[in-house]
Amino acid sequence: MNVPRLAVDLTKIEANARLLVDRLRPRGIRVLGVTKAALGAPEVAAAYERAGVHGVGDSRIQNLGRVRSGGSPLARTLIRSPMRSEVAAVVRDAATSLNSELAVLEALDAAARRARMVHGVVLMVELGDLREGIEADDLVALAIQVERRKGLALRGIGTNLACQSGVVPDQSKMEQLSDLAAAVEASLERPLEVVSGGNSANLAWAASTPDVGRVDELRLGEAILLGTEPLHRCPIAGLHLDACTLHAEVIEVQQKSAQPWGTLGQGAYGPVASRTGSGRRRQAIVAVGRQDVDPDGLTPPTGLLVLGASSDHLVLDADDLGVAVGDCVSFGLDYSALVRAMTSPFVAKDFFQP
Ligand SMILES: *Cc1c(COP(=O)(O)O)cnc(C)c1O
């Protein structure tokens, strides 16, 4: 099989998604399965569907187009504000989008009416992480604006924390969101369908809170694909951590001096961490690099240690593990490594069901 190769075990993805769906259901929270780290792969959307997620979310409209072409019956939500220049594609390929700008909403309204459709809107509110969202004080006024437009249907509100500044989605933040939902409902005199509390970083809150309030949806990607939560990158109990793995081939194994010699400047990608040890050590090179993956996010097998990487070479200390030229080495990936590998044209993708 082709290497480097990103292997995605769909049975493990499905199991992870099902466990989260089943844990959250009794709390009244639905799962929007986020496919962006899988580039909207139809195979992943299908695994989410089997697991019982209630919809698919992605930040790129092209990815939602892929999900749609793959035949998934799940409703699609664009989870990044549409670009004003792409609203026609957004009303075609997404039923709903997350929004925070009136200018974009006006363009969406016009595009939806042109297509004789009604586009769903979830208004994002800024609760301190300083990424997307409008000020809480402006939410009701914008909700009323959306409500008046014939091409738009206000489905609910949402927030996103823990992505830009690492602000924790705790009980107080979620209570603020619930209070805002109540305020919007009071002014519109109708209930909202969606109160979207956040991403995988919300799982610890959802598991421990005595009261989820009005939050009825989480948008989950990392937890399903990698089994980790983004706040401390800790494993979540019961989830597979190895649903996604990277496989790459050894192209050189040689005994080398533990230390470089000569006058030292920077490496190809800036200052280089100094190597430890002395004498001679076995070094292996794997044919994968920064054009394929984020090397800092790779976990090698026990006995191998990542020493560094350039565009096309991953250098490993192999003193404690017998590897030979032509061997295939398997790595675990973090979110950054996963996204880079999924996006690289040099990495073959293997979605498989064992
Ligand atoms: C990426 C993203 C998510 C999913 O985040 P995970 O940490 O992968 O669960 C949810 N909401 C928004 C707005 C996102 O951009």
PDB file of all heavy atoms in Angstrom, residues 17-32 199 202-207 212 215-220:
ATOM      1  N   ALA A  17     -18.050   7.994  18.137  1.00  0.00           N
ATOM      2  CA  ALA A  17     -19.200   8.885  17.950  1.00  0.00           C
ATOM      3  C   ALA A  17     -20.414   8.334  18.706  1.00  0.00           C
ATOM      4  O   ALA A  17     -21.129   9.093  19.381  1.00  0.00           O
ATOM      5  CB  ALA A  17     -19.510   9.034  16.461  1.00  0.00           C
ATOM      6  N   ARG A  18     -20.612   7.010  18.637  1.00  0.00           N
ATOM      7  CA  ARG A  18     -21.793   6.434  19.291  1.00  0.00           C
ATOM      8  C   ARG A  18     -21.716   6.623  20.806  1.00  0.00           C
ATOM      9  O   ARG A  18     -22.712   6.967  21.452  1.00  0.00           O
ATOM     10  CB  ARG A  18     -21.921   4.945  18.939  1.00  0.00           C
ATOM     11  CG  ARG A  18     -23.106   4.277  19.631  1.00  0.00           C
ATOM     12  CD  ARG A  18     -23.401   2.879  19.126  1.00  0.00           C
ATOM     13  NE  ARG A  18     -23.923   2.885  17.768  1.00  0.00           N
ATOM     14  CZ  ARG A  18     -23.325   2.340  16.712  1.00  0.00           C
ATOM     15  NH1 ARG A  18     -22.166   1.717  16.864  1.00  0.00           N
ATOM     16  NH2 ARG A  18     -23.880   2.388  15.533  1.00  0.00           N
ATOM     17  N   LEU A  19     -20.515   6.414  21.357  1.00  0.00           N
ATOM     18  CA  LEU A  19     -20.380   6.562  22.806  1.00  0.00           C
ATOM     19  C   LEU A  19     -20.705   7.991  23.247  1.00  0.00           C
ATOM     20  O   LEU A  19     -21.383   8.216  24.249  1.00  0.00           O
ATOM     21  CB  LEU A  19     -18.964   6.167  23.226  1.00  0.00           C
ATOM     22  CG  LEU A  19     -18.777   6.086  24.734  1.00  0.00           C
ATOM     23  CD1 LEU A  19     -18.306   4.702  25.137  1.00  0.00           C
ATOM     24  CD2 LEU A  19     -17.802   7.127  25.225  1.00  0.00           C
ATOM     25  N   LEU A  20     -20.246   8.973  22.472  1.00  0.00           N
ATOM     26  CA  LEU A  20     -20.516  10.375  22.832  1.00  0.00           C
ATOM     27  C   LEU A  20     -22.001  10.700  22.654  1.00  0.00           C
ATOM     28  O   LEU A  20     -22.606  11.358  23.512  1.00  0.00           O
ATOM     29  CB  LEU A  20     -19.632  11.304  21.995  1.00  0.00           C
ATOM     30  CG  LEU A  20     -18.141  11.214  22.353  1.00  0.00           C
ATOM     31  CD1 LEU A  20     -17.271  11.853  21.285  1.00  0.00           C
ATOM     32  CD2 LEU A  20     -17.875  11.857  23.721  1.00  0.00           C
ATOM     33  N   VAL A  21     -22.587  10.219  21.560  1.00  0.00           N
ATOM     34  CA  VAL A  21     -24.027  10.431  21.336  1.00  0.00           C
ATOM     35  C   VAL A  21     -24.820   9.835  22.509  1.00  0.00           C
ATOM     36  O   VAL A  21     -25.718  10.478  23.063  1.00  0.00           O
ATOM     37  CB  VAL A  21     -24.468   9.785  19.995  1.00  0.00           C
ATOM     38  CG1 VAL A  21     -25.990   9.687  19.896  1.00  0.00           C
ATOM     39  CG2 VAL A  21     -23.906  10.576  18.815  1.00  0.00           C
ATOM     40  N   ASP A  22     -24.447   8.615  22.899  1.00  0.00           N
ATOM     41  CA  ASP A  22     -25.196   7.936  23.965  1.00  0.00           C
ATOM     42  C   ASP A  22     -24.974   8.577  25.331  1.00  0.00           C
ATOM     43  O   ASP A  22     -25.865   8.561  26.177  1.00  0.00           O
ATOM     44  CB  ASP A  22     -24.807   6.446  24.020  1.00  0.00           C
ATOM     45  CG  ASP A  22     -25.344   5.680  22.821  1.00  0.00           C
ATOM     46  OD1 ASP A  22     -26.202   6.240  22.096  1.00  0.00           O
ATOM     47  OD2 ASP A  22     -24.891   4.538  22.589  1.00  0.00           O
ATOM     48  N   ARG A  23     -23.772   9.121  25.560  1.00  0.00           N
ATOM     49  CA  ARG A  23     -23.516   9.802  26.836  1.00  0.00           C
ATOM     50  C   ARG A  23     -24.257  11.125  26.934  1.00  0.00           C
ATOM     51  O   ARG A  23     -24.660  11.545  28.014  1.00  0.00           O
ATOM     52  CB  ARG A  23     -22.020  10.096  26.972  1.00  0.00           C
ATOM     53  CG  ARG A  23     -21.283   9.009  27.689  1.00  0.00           C
ATOM     54  CD  ARG A  23     -19.838   9.413  27.929  1.00  0.00           C
ATOM     55  NE  ARG A  23     -19.071   8.217  28.183  1.00  0.00           N
ATOM     56  CZ  ARG A  23     -17.754   8.150  28.136  1.00  0.00           C
ATOM     57  NH1 ARG A  23     -17.042   9.222  27.835  1.00  0.00           N
ATOM     58  NH2 ARG A  23     -17.144   7.018  28.391  1.00  0.00           N
ATOM     59  N   LEU A  24     -24.388  11.815  25.798  1.00  0.00           N
ATOM     60  CA  LEU A  24     -24.978  13.156  25.824  1.00  0.00           C
ATOM     61  C   LEU A  24     -26.501  13.124  25.710  1.00  0.00           C
ATOM     62  O   LEU A  24     -27.176  14.038  26.181  1.00  0.00           O
ATOM     63  CB  LEU A  24     -24.379  14.022  24.705  1.00  0.00           C
ATOM     64  CG  LEU A  24     -22.899  14.375  24.920  1.00  0.00           C
ATOM     65  CD1 LEU A  24     -22.296  14.976  23.657  1.00  0.00           C
ATOM     66  CD2 LEU A  24     -22.734  15.347  26.097  1.00  0.00           C
ATOM     67  N   ARG A  25     -27.036  12.073  25.100  1.00  0.00           N
ATOM     68  CA  ARG A  25     -28.486  12.027  24.882  1.00  0.00           C
ATOM     69  C   ARG A  25     -29.284  12.175  26.175  1.00  0.00           C
ATOM     70  O   ARG A  25     -30.223  12.990  26.220  1.00  0.00           O
ATOM     71  CB  ARG A  25     -28.883  10.743  24.139  1.00  0.00           C
ATOM     72  CG  ARG A  25     -30.354  10.773  23.699  1.00  0.00           C
ATOM     73  CD  ARG A  25     -30.838   9.459  23.092  1.00  0.00           C
ATOM     74  NE  ARG A  25     -30.214   9.149  21.821  1.00  0.00           N
ATOM     75  CZ  ARG A  25     -29.411   8.102  21.618  1.00  0.00           C
ATOM     76  NH1 ARG A  25     -29.117   7.271  22.605  1.00  0.00           N
ATOM     77  NH2 ARG A  25     -28.908   7.888  20.432  1.00  0.00           N
ATOM     78  N   PRO A  26     -28.931  11.421  27.235  1.00  0.00           N
ATOM     79  CA  PRO A  26     -29.711  11.565  28.475  1.00  0.00           C
ATOM     80  C   PRO A  26     -29.644  12.973  29.064  1.00  0.00           C
ATOM     81  O   PRO A  26     -30.491  13.344  29.873  1.00  0.00           O
ATOM     82  CB  PRO A  26     -29.077  10.563  29.440  1.00  0.00           C
ATOM     83  CG  PRO A  26     -28.112   9.773  28.675  1.00  0.00           C
ATOM     84  CD  PRO A  26     -27.884  10.415  27.355  1.00  0.00           C
ATOM     85  N   ARG A  27     -28.649  13.753  28.662  1.00  0.00           N
ATOM     86  CA  ARG A  27     -28.536  15.127  29.144  1.00  0.00           C
ATOM     87  C   ARG A  27     -29.283  16.105  28.237  1.00  0.00           C
ATOM     88  O   ARG A  27     -29.193  17.318  28.417  1.00  0.00           O
ATOM     89  CB  ARG A  27     -27.061  15.538  29.219  1.00  0.00           C
ATOM     90  CG  ARG A  27     -26.139  14.438  29.738  1.00  0.00           C
ATOM     91  CD  ARG A  27     -25.185  14.951  30.770  1.00  0.00           C
ATOM     92  NE  ARG A  27     -25.868  15.175  32.031  1.00  0.00           N
ATOM     93  CZ  ARG A  27     -25.318  15.704  33.118  1.00  0.00           C
ATOM     94  NH1 ARG A  27     -24.057  16.068  33.086  1.00  0.00           N
ATOM     95  NH2 ARG A  27     -26.012  15.877  34.192  1.00  0.00           N
ATOM     96  N   GLY A  28     -29.927  15.564  27.204  1.00  0.00           N
ATOM     97  CA  GLY A  28     -30.676  16.428  26.293  1.00  0.00           C
ATOM     98  C   GLY A  28     -29.794  17.150  25.293  1.00  0.00           C
ATOM     99  O   GLY A  28     -30.185  18.183  24.746  1.00  0.00           O
ATOM    100  N   ILE A  29     -28.598  16.609  25.033  1.00  0.00           N
ATOM    101  CA  ILE A  29     -27.672  17.269  24.105  1.00  0.00           C
ATOM    102  C   ILE A  29     -27.461  16.389  22.868  1.00  0.00           C
ATOM    103  O   ILE A  29     -27.128  15.204  22.986  1.00  0.00           O
ATOM    104  CB  ILE A  29     -26.320  17.562  24.795  1.00  0.00           C
ATOM    105  CG1 ILE A  29     -26.532  18.569  25.940  1.00  0.00           C
ATOM    106  CG2 ILE A  29     -25.303  18.086  23.798  1.00  0.00           C
ATOM    107  CD1 ILE A  29     -25.269  18.904  26.720  1.00  0.00           C
ATOM    108  N   ARG A  30     -27.679  16.979  21.698  1.00  0.00           N
ATOM    109  CA  ARG A  30     -27.448  16.294  20.428  1.00  0.00           C
ATOM    110  C   ARG A  30     -26.016  16.567  19.967  1.00  0.00           C
ATOM    111  O   ARG A  30     -25.401  17.551  20.350  1.00  0.00           O
ATOM    112  CB  ARG A  30     -28.397  16.821  19.352  1.00  0.00           C
ATOM    113  CG  ARG A  30     -29.866  16.685  19.672  1.00  0.00           C
ATOM    114  CD  ARG A  30     -30.698  17.383  18.589  1.00  0.00           C
ATOM    115  NE  ARG A  30     -30.320  18.782  18.468  1.00  0.00           N
ATOM    116  CZ  ARG A  30     -31.146  19.811  18.634  1.00  0.00           C
ATOM    117  NH1 ARG A  30     -32.408  19.598  18.940  1.00  0.00           N
ATOM    118  NH2 ARG A  30     -30.715  21.041  18.494  1.00  0.00           N
ATOM    119  N   VAL A  31     -25.528  15.667  19.092  1.00  0.00           N
ATOM    120  CA  VAL A  31     -24.166  15.827  18.571  1.00  0.00           C
ATOM    121  C   VAL A  31     -24.214  16.233  17.105  1.00  0.00           C
ATOM    122  O   VAL A  31     -24.860  15.568  16.288  1.00  0.00           O
ATOM    123  CB  VAL A  31     -23.364  14.510  18.713  1.00  0.00           C
ATOM    124  CG1 VAL A  31     -22.012  14.621  18.007  1.00  0.00           C
ATOM    125  CG2 VAL A  31     -23.172  14.155  20.183  1.00  0.00           C
ATOM    126  N   LEU A  32     -23.565  17.356  16.802  1.00  0.00           N
ATOM    127  CA  LEU A  32     -23.286  17.713  15.417  1.00  0.00           C
ATOM    128  C   LEU A  32     -21.892  17.149  15.131  1.00  0.00           C
ATOM    129  O   LEU A  32     -20.916  17.580  15.742  1.00  0.00           O
ATOM    130  CB  LEU A  32     -23.311  19.240  15.254  1.00  0.00           C
ATOM    131  CG  LEU A  32     -23.271  19.763  13.821  1.00  0.00           C
ATOM    132  CD1 LEU A  32     -24.593  19.523  13.118  1.00  0.00           C
ATOM    133  CD2 LEU A  32     -22.950  21.251  13.805  1.00  0.00           C
ATOM    134  N   ASN A 199     -17.658  22.959  21.453  1.00  0.00           N
ATOM    135  CA  ASN A 199     -16.938  21.888  20.759  1.00  0.00           C
ATOM    136  C   ASN A 199     -16.482  20.805  21.737  1.00  0.00           C
ATOM    137  O   ASN A 199     -17.004  20.705  22.847  1.00  0.00           O
ATOM    138  CB  ASN A 199     -15.764  22.506  19.999  1.00  0.00           C
ATOM    139  CG  ASN A 199     -14.922  23.376  20.926  1.00  0.00           C
ATOM    140  OD1 ASN A 199     -14.523  22.944  22.006  1.00  0.00           O
ATOM    141  ND2 ASN A 199     -14.672  24.606  20.515  1.00  0.00           N
ATOM    142  N   ASN A 202     -16.111  21.236  25.467  1.00  0.00           N
ATOM    143  CA  ASN A 202     -17.272  21.313  26.365  1.00  0.00           C
ATOM    144  C   ASN A 202     -17.612  19.981  27.022  1.00  0.00           C
ATOM    145  O   ASN A 202     -18.516  19.928  27.861  1.00  0.00           O
ATOM    146  CB  ASN A 202     -18.510  21.766  25.581  1.00  0.00           C
ATOM    147  CG  ASN A 202     -18.487  23.234  25.226  1.00  0.00           C
ATOM    148  OD1 ASN A 202     -17.560  23.683  24.551  1.00  0.00           O
ATOM    149  ND2 ASN A 202     -19.480  23.976  25.661  1.00  0.00           N
ATOM    150  N   LEU A 203     -16.931  18.906  26.647  1.00  0.00           N
ATOM    151  CA  LEU A 203     -17.368  17.588  27.119  1.00  0.00           C
ATOM    152  C   LEU A 203     -17.199  17.421  28.628  1.00  0.00           C
ATOM    153  O   LEU A 203     -18.033  16.804  29.285  1.00  0.00           O
ATOM    154  CB  LEU A 203     -16.633  16.484  26.353  1.00  0.00           C
ATOM    155  CG  LEU A 203     -17.151  16.296  24.918  1.00  0.00           C
ATOM    156  CD1 LEU A 203     -16.205  15.413  24.120  1.00  0.00           C
ATOM    157  CD2 LEU A 203     -18.560  15.711  24.922  1.00  0.00           C
ATOM    158  N   ALA A 204     -16.119  17.987  29.169  1.00  0.00           N
ATOM    159  CA  ALA A 204     -15.912  17.857  30.618  1.00  0.00           C
ATOM    160  C   ALA A 204     -17.048  18.554  31.363  1.00  0.00           C
ATOM    161  O   ALA A 204     -17.603  18.014  32.331  1.00  0.00           O
ATOM    162  CB  ALA A 204     -14.564  18.460  31.012  1.00  0.00           C
ATOM    163  N   TRP A 205     -17.423  19.737  30.874  1.00  0.00           N
ATOM    164  CA  TRP A 205     -18.564  20.451  31.470  1.00  0.00           C
ATOM    165  C   TRP A 205     -19.837  19.615  31.348  1.00  0.00           C
ATOM    166  O   TRP A 205     -20.569  19.430  32.319  1.00  0.00           O
ATOM    167  CB  TRP A 205     -18.751  21.815  30.793  1.00  0.00           C
ATOM    168  CG  TRP A 205     -20.105  22.391  31.042  1.00  0.00           C
ATOM    169  CD1 TRP A 205     -20.515  23.056  32.159  1.00  0.00           C
ATOM    170  CD2 TRP A 205     -21.245  22.310  30.176  1.00  0.00           C
ATOM    171  NE1 TRP A 205     -21.849  23.389  32.048  1.00  0.00           N
ATOM    172  CE2 TRP A 205     -22.313  22.944  30.835  1.00  0.00           C
ATOM    173  CE3 TRP A 205     -21.464  21.748  28.907  1.00  0.00           C
ATOM    174  CZ2 TRP A 205     -23.585  23.041  30.264  1.00  0.00           C
ATOM    175  CZ3 TRP A 205     -22.713  21.845  28.339  1.00  0.00           C
ATOM    176  CH2 TRP A 205     -23.760  22.494  29.019  1.00  0.00           C
ATOM    177  N   ALA A 206     -20.080  19.084  30.137  1.00  0.00           N
ATOM    178  CA  ALA A 206     -21.333  18.349  29.906  1.00  0.00           C
ATOM    179  C   ALA A 206     -21.429  17.115  30.792  1.00  0.00           C
ATOM    180  O   ALA A 206     -22.517  16.741  31.233  1.00  0.00           O
ATOM    181  CB  ALA A 206     -21.446  17.955  28.430  1.00  0.00           C
ATOM    182  N   ALA A 207     -20.268  16.491  31.070  1.00  0.00           N
ATOM    183  CA  ALA A 207     -20.280  15.275  31.876  1.00  0.00           C
ATOM    184  C   ALA A 207     -20.507  15.571  33.353  1.00  0.00           C
ATOM    185  O   ALA A 207     -21.000  14.731  34.093  1.00  0.00           O
ATOM    186  CB  ALA A 207     -18.965  14.520  31.692  1.00  0.00           C
ATOM    187  N   VAL A 212     -27.550  21.341  32.468  1.00  0.00           N
ATOM    188  CA  VAL A 212     -27.042  21.809  31.171  1.00  0.00           C
ATOM    189  C   VAL A 212     -27.747  23.084  30.739  1.00  0.00           C
ATOM    190  O   VAL A 212     -27.365  23.701  29.740  1.00  0.00           O
ATOM    191  CB  VAL A 212     -27.186  20.747  30.050  1.00  0.00           C
ATOM    192  CG1 VAL A 212     -26.392  19.499  30.388  1.00  0.00           C
ATOM    193  CG2 VAL A 212     -28.633  20.429  29.761  1.00  0.00           C
ATOM    194  N   VAL A 215     -28.578  24.482  26.845  1.00  0.00           N
ATOM    195  CA  VAL A 215     -27.675  23.940  25.823  1.00  0.00           C
ATOM    196  C   VAL A 215     -28.207  22.583  25.340  1.00  0.00           C
ATOM    197  O   VAL A 215     -28.447  21.680  26.144  1.00  0.00           O
ATOM    198  CB  VAL A 215     -26.243  23.792  26.383  1.00  0.00           C
ATOM    199  CG1 VAL A 215     -25.344  23.093  25.367  1.00  0.00           C
ATOM    200  CG2 VAL A 215     -25.683  25.158  26.752  1.00  0.00           C
ATOM    201  N   ASP A 216     -28.416  22.459  24.028  1.00  0.00           N
ATOM    202  CA  ASP A 216     -28.973  21.205  23.498  1.00  0.00           C
ATOM    203  C   ASP A 216     -28.164  20.643  22.331  1.00  0.00           C
ATOM    204  O   ASP A 216     -28.594  19.706  21.663  1.00  0.00           O
ATOM    205  CB  ASP A 216     -30.441  21.400  23.086  1.00  0.00           C
ATOM    206  CG  ASP A 216     -30.616  22.482  22.029  1.00  0.00           C
ATOM    207  OD1 ASP A 216     -29.607  22.871  21.402  1.00  0.00           O
ATOM    208  OD2 ASP A 216     -31.750  22.949  21.845  1.00  0.00           O
ATOM    209  N   GLU A 217     -26.978  21.225  22.078  1.00  0.00           N
ATOM    210  CA  GLU A 217     -26.145  20.710  20.987  1.00  0.00           C
ATOM    211  C   GLU A 217     -24.683  20.970  21.280  1.00  0.00           C
ATOM    212  O   GLU A 217     -24.334  22.027  21.814  1.00  0.00           O
ATOM    213  CB  GLU A 217     -26.514  21.404  19.664  1.00  0.00           C
ATOM    214  CG  GLU A 217     -25.625  20.993  18.493  1.00  0.00           C
ATOM    215  CD  GLU A 217     -25.860  21.836  17.241  1.00  0.00           C
ATOM    216  OE1 GLU A 217     -26.801  21.523  16.501  1.00  0.00           O
ATOM    217  OE2 GLU A 217     -25.097  22.799  17.017  1.00  0.00           O
ATOM    218  N   LEU A 218     -23.824  19.993  20.951  1.00  0.00           N
ATOM    219  CA  LEU A 218     -22.376  20.226  20.909  1.00  0.00           C
ATOM    220  C   LEU A 218     -21.882  19.842  19.524  1.00  0.00           C
ATOM    221  O   LEU A 218     -22.393  18.899  18.906  1.00  0.00           O
ATOM    222  CB  LEU A 218     -21.643  19.420  21.983  1.00  0.00           C
ATOM    223  CG  LEU A 218     -21.876  19.842  23.436  1.00  0.00           C
ATOM    224  CD1 LEU A 218     -21.065  18.934  24.371  1.00  0.00           C
ATOM    225  CD2 LEU A 218     -21.514  21.314  23.682  1.00  0.00           C
ATOM    226  N   ARG A 219     -20.885  20.580  19.045  1.00  0.00           N
ATOM    227  CA  ARG A 219     -20.295  20.329  17.731  1.00  0.00           C
ATOM    228  C   ARG A 219     -18.960  19.608  17.960  1.00  0.00           C
ATOM    229  O   ARG A 219     -18.012  20.215  18.444  1.00  0.00           O
ATOM    230  CB  ARG A 219     -20.075  21.669  17.009  1.00  0.00           C
ATOM    231  CG  ARG A 219     -21.320  22.587  17.023  1.00  0.00           C
ATOM    232  CD  ARG A 219     -21.025  23.947  16.418  1.00  0.00           C
ATOM    233  NE  ARG A 219     -19.975  24.675  17.088  1.00  0.00           N
ATOM    234  CZ  ARG A 219     -20.154  25.515  18.107  1.00  0.00           C
ATOM    235  NH1 ARG A 219     -21.373  25.760  18.578  1.00  0.00           N
ATOM    236  NH2 ARG A 219     -19.122  26.109  18.667  1.00  0.00           N
ATOM    237  N   LEU A 220     -18.910  18.311  17.647  1.00  0.00           N
ATOM    238  CA  LEU A 220     -17.756  17.502  18.066  1.00  0.00           C
ATOM    239  C   LEU A 220     -16.959  16.956  16.894  1.00  0.00           C
ATOM    240  O   LEU A 220     -17.487  16.269  16.025  1.00  0.00           O
ATOM    241  CB  LEU A 220     -18.237  16.329  18.930  1.00  0.00           C
ATOM    242  CG  LEU A 220     -19.033  16.690  20.187  1.00  0.00           C
ATOM    243  CD1 LEU A 220     -19.433  15.425  20.933  1.00  0.00           C
ATOM    244  CD2 LEU A 220     -18.230  17.630  21.098  1.00  0.00           C
TER     245      LEU A 220
END
